[in-house]
Amino acid sequence: MAAGSEATIPKILAAGAGGEEGEHVKPFTPEKAKEIIMSLQQPAIFCNMVFDWPARHWNAKYLSEVLHGKRIRFRMGMKSTSTVPQFETTCSYVEATLEEFLTWNCDQSSISGPFRDYDHSKFWAYADYKYFVSLFEDKTDIFQDVKWSDFGFPGRNGQESTLWIGSLGAHTPCHLDSYGCNLVFQVQGRKRWHLFPPEDTPFLYPTRIPYEESSVFSKINVVNPDLKRFPQFQKAQRHMVTLSPGQVLFVPRHWWHYVESIDPVTVSINSWIELEEDHLARVEEAITRMLVCALKTAENPQNTRAWLNPTEVEETSHEVNCCYLNAAVSAFFDRFRTSKVVEIQALRTDGDRMKKEVFNVCDHVEVGQTGSQNLTTGIGKPEASSHFGPDLVPVAQRSEEPPSERGGMFESDGKDSVDEDGEHFGKLRCAKRQQIMSNSENAVEEEIVSNTTTVPSQTFISTDDLLDCLVNPQVTRIVAQLLIQRSL
C-alpha cells in the first residue's frame, strides 16, 4: 500500500431529499450534470440518475438470453498475490458464451467446456472492453437502453459505450486513459476502484509496454506493491470507492485507476467523453505508436505479443504510423484554426511557476523555448466549488482498513464525511494539493538519486529501458509541442 492513509473519493454526488427513486425525480438536470462533469477535477459518484434506464436490468443472466449463444472473448487471470501486475499480454483467452461463463462461475463447469482448463478457485474471467456496436450488431435497438443524454450528452447511448462482465477477482491493471474523461454505470455486482490523481504520475512509474493506444500503464501492482523496487509509490495519494449497482462513477481526465470485481458476477457499462485536450493527446499518441512499433519490431518482428496489448489488433508499419502522425497533427490544426489561437500551459520542472505559451495558428507567431517541460492543454473550466450543496458532498480523507476487509462505499451514515467547518476542508485540500505538486516536481530527480545507489556498476540497457524514457508521457508532450511549433 502507498504510505499514509488511503482516502475515500473526495467528492460524492448524492441525491438530496427530493431524489429518491420512488419519487422519480433526478437530482440533476442534463445541463447541470454536464456542467459538473466538465468542471470537476476529481472523481465523483452520481446517485439516482439511472433508475429509469432499461439497461438498469442488464444483469449477466439477461444478457446471456439476449445474446443467445453468441461467443465472446474472456480474459483469464490468476487469483494471486504477486507484486507484478497481470498485464493482458500474460493472460490466457477463452471464447465462450455467457451461459458457459455463468455455469463455470457457479463451479459447475463440464470437463468438455471452454473453461475446462481453468479451476474456478484459481482463475477469474473478464469479458472486458466489448463495444456495443460489434456485440449487438444485429440488435441495434438495444443501444437506446443506455441514456447518456441524462448527463448532458444528447444522442449518446449504447452505440458509444462498452460492456464489461467479470467474475470475482477480475481486474484491470492500474493505468490512465490518454483521451477524454470516463462515465461508468455499475449494473450488477460491485467493483472497487483505486484512483490516483494526475500529479501522482511520477510515483506510478508509467510505462507504454505493453503498448495499447491511449493507455499508459503503471509498472506497479497497486494492491500489492513492491516498495523496494518502486519506493516513490509511497508518496502516491490513493483514493478508493466501491461502486454499487445503480451508481455512475465519473473519472476525470488522466486519473489513474485500478478496478477489481469484488462480487461473483459484475456488469458495467462505460462511455469515454471526448474533450478539447484530446487533440494534442492524439499527436502524443501518434509519436508513441511510431517509436514503439519501430523499436520493438526491429528487435524481434515475430514476437509481437510480448509487447503489443491484445486490444491492439496488430503492429502497424512505419509508413502507416507516419500517416497516422501527420493526420493527428493536421487534425490538431484543423480543430483550432477557427479559434486562431491555441493555448498550451507549460509546467516548468525547474520551478513552481506556470507559464502560458500561445500558438497563433493563423498568423504563425513564434513561441519561446520549451526547455524541459511537462505539457498539458490549457482549457478553461468553471469553478467546481460553485456546485457544492446538498447534492455535492465532499468526503474528508480518513484511515481505512485493508481493502479485503472493507464493505460498501457508504460504511457510515455520511455525517462524519463533512467537516462542520466547510471552509477548513477546502483549505486542507488546497494545502495537500500544493504538497503533492511539490513532491511530483522533484520525483524524477529523487528517482535518479535512488537508482544510482542501487543499480550495479555494469548495467544492460534493453529496448524496453530505452522506450521507457523515449515514450514517457512527459517526453512525448515535449516532442508533440516541438512538432507543432515546426508546423506553424
Side-chain angles (χ1 to χ4, degrees), residues 100-387:
E100 291 168 328
F101 162 73
L102 290 173
T103 299
W104 170 81
N105 200 45
C106 293
D107 205 15
Q108 300 172 3
S109 56
S110 167
I111 295 177
S112 59
F115 294 98
R116 61 184 175 274
D117 296 328
Y118 300 94
D119 185 336
H120 180 262
S121 65
K122 298 178 180 178
F123 286 87
W124 48 258
Y126 208 3
D128 54 356
Y129 217 100
K130 306 302 179 192
Y131 281 101
F132 278 36
V133 173
S134 57
L135 199 60
F136 303 107
E137 55 191 349
D138 55 344
K139 299 179 178 64
T140 55
D141 288 348
I142 209 168
F143 294 163
Q144 306 306 318
D145 287 5
V146 180
K147 303 178 179 181
W148 297 116
S149 55
D150 284 351
F151 289 86
F153 303 98
R156 182 178 290 266
N157 53 39
Q159 191 166 4
E160 298 83 18
S161 304
T162 56
L163 183 68
W164 311 69
I165 304 172
S167 65
L168 180 66
H171 65 269
T172 54
C174 188
H175 68 284
L176 67 80
D177 301 315
S178 302
Y179 306 144
C181 58
N182 196 1
L183 287 174
V184 186
F185 168 33
Q186 192 64 26
V187 180
Q188 179 182 2
R190 296 169 301 154
K191 281 186 173 178
R192 181 172 294 120
W193 286 70
H194 303 245
L195 302 110
F196 303 87
E199 58 264 30
D200 280 359
T201 292
F203 312 143
L204 272 295
Y205 297 82
T207 181
R208 296 311 302 264
I209 303 296
Y211 174 73
E212 174 186 323
E213 183 182 359
S214 82
S215 292
V216 182
F217 292 102
S218 170
K219 297 178 184 178
I220 303 169
N221 181 350
V222 297
V223 295
N224 189 27
D226 183 347
L227 295 179
K228 290 184 179 179
R229 186 179 177 191
F230 305 112
Q232 295 289 325
F233 181 62
Q234 298 178 82
K235 300 179 181 179
Q237 300 297 304
R238 185 194 307 262
H239 300 82
M240 289 177 59
V241 66
T242 299
L243 193 64
S244 298
Q247 297 175 338
V248 174
L249 173 65
F250 165 62
V251 182
R253 181 175 186 265
H254 285 183
W255 271 72
W256 292 85
H257 46 284
Y258 172 99
V259 190
E260 55 182 337
S261 297
I262 60 173
D263 280 327
V265 180
T266 61
V267 177
S268 307
I269 298 169
N270 89 293
S271 188
W272 286 280
I273 308 300
E274 300 82 7
L275 298 172
E276 290 294 320
E277 295 93 328
D278 293 347
H279 296 283
L280 181 60
R282 288 191 176 91
V283 178
E284 299 168 11
E285 282 296 310
I287 294 167
T288 301
R289 174 185 289 272
M290 178 176 284
L291 288 171
V292 171
C293 287
L295 285 176
K296 293 303 290 185
T297 55
E299 178 187 55
N300 187 352
Q302 306 303 318
N303 194 21
T304 58
R305 289 298 137 188
W307 60 270
L308 194 66
N309 220 42
T311 49
E312 292 291 316
V313 178
E314 60 183 357
E315 73 277 14
T316 46
S317 69
H318 183 75
E319 290 74 19
V320 170
N321 287 331
C322 191
C323 292
Y324 185 69
L325 175 58
N326 278 278
V329 174
S330 295
F332 176 88
F333 281 107
D334 288 344
R335 174 64 185 86
F336 292 107
R337 189 167 278 116
T338 54
S339 63
K340 297 188 183 299
V341 174
V342 179
E343 294 181 350
I344 288 186
Q345 287 183 343
L347 174 61
R348 300 185 63 85
T349 56
D350 58 352
D352 297 352
R353 56 196 179 87
M354 289 281 263
K355 76 172 184 177
K356 185 173 289 184
E357 298 190 352
V358 179
F359 291 168
N360 192 318
V361 179
C362 292
D363 298 334
H364 291 203
V365 173
E366 184 177 356
V367 297
Q369 296 293 325
T370 61
S372 175
Q373 299 165 345
N374 179 16
L375 308 175
T376 56
T377 52
I379 306 297
K381 295 189 178 182
E383 288 292 329
S385 59
S386 62
H387 303 302

Side-chain angles (χ1 to χ4, degrees), residues 33-51:
K34 184 174 183 179
E35 180 185 352
I36 292 169
I37 289 168
M38 290 303 175
S39 61
L40 274 182
Q41 301 297 303
Q42 295 173 325
I45 297 289
F46 284 92
C47 299
N48 300 320
M49 286 291 288
V50 297
F51 56 80

Side-chain angles (χ1 to χ4, degrees), residues 6-14 40 42-45 47 238-242 255 388-400 406 408-422 424-426 428-429 432:
E6 291 176 357
T8 54
I9 244 168
K11 306 284 183 291
I12 298 293
L13 302 182
L40 274 182
Q42 295 173 325
I45 297 289
C47 299
R238 185 194 307 262
H239 300 82
M240 289 177 59
V241 66
T242 299
W255 271 72
F388 290 163
D391 296 321
L392 181 61
V393 183
V395 178
Q397 291 189 2
R398 64 175 192 243
S399 297
E400 301 285 353
R406 287 171 51 84
M409 179 177 65
F410 302 109
E411 250 79 54
S412 65
D413 58 8
K415 296 178 181 178
D416 297 335
S417 298
V418 185
D419 275 337
E420 293 180 4
D421 182 358
H424 169 72
F425 175 84
L428 181 64
R429 286 293 305 169
K432 185 159 199 169

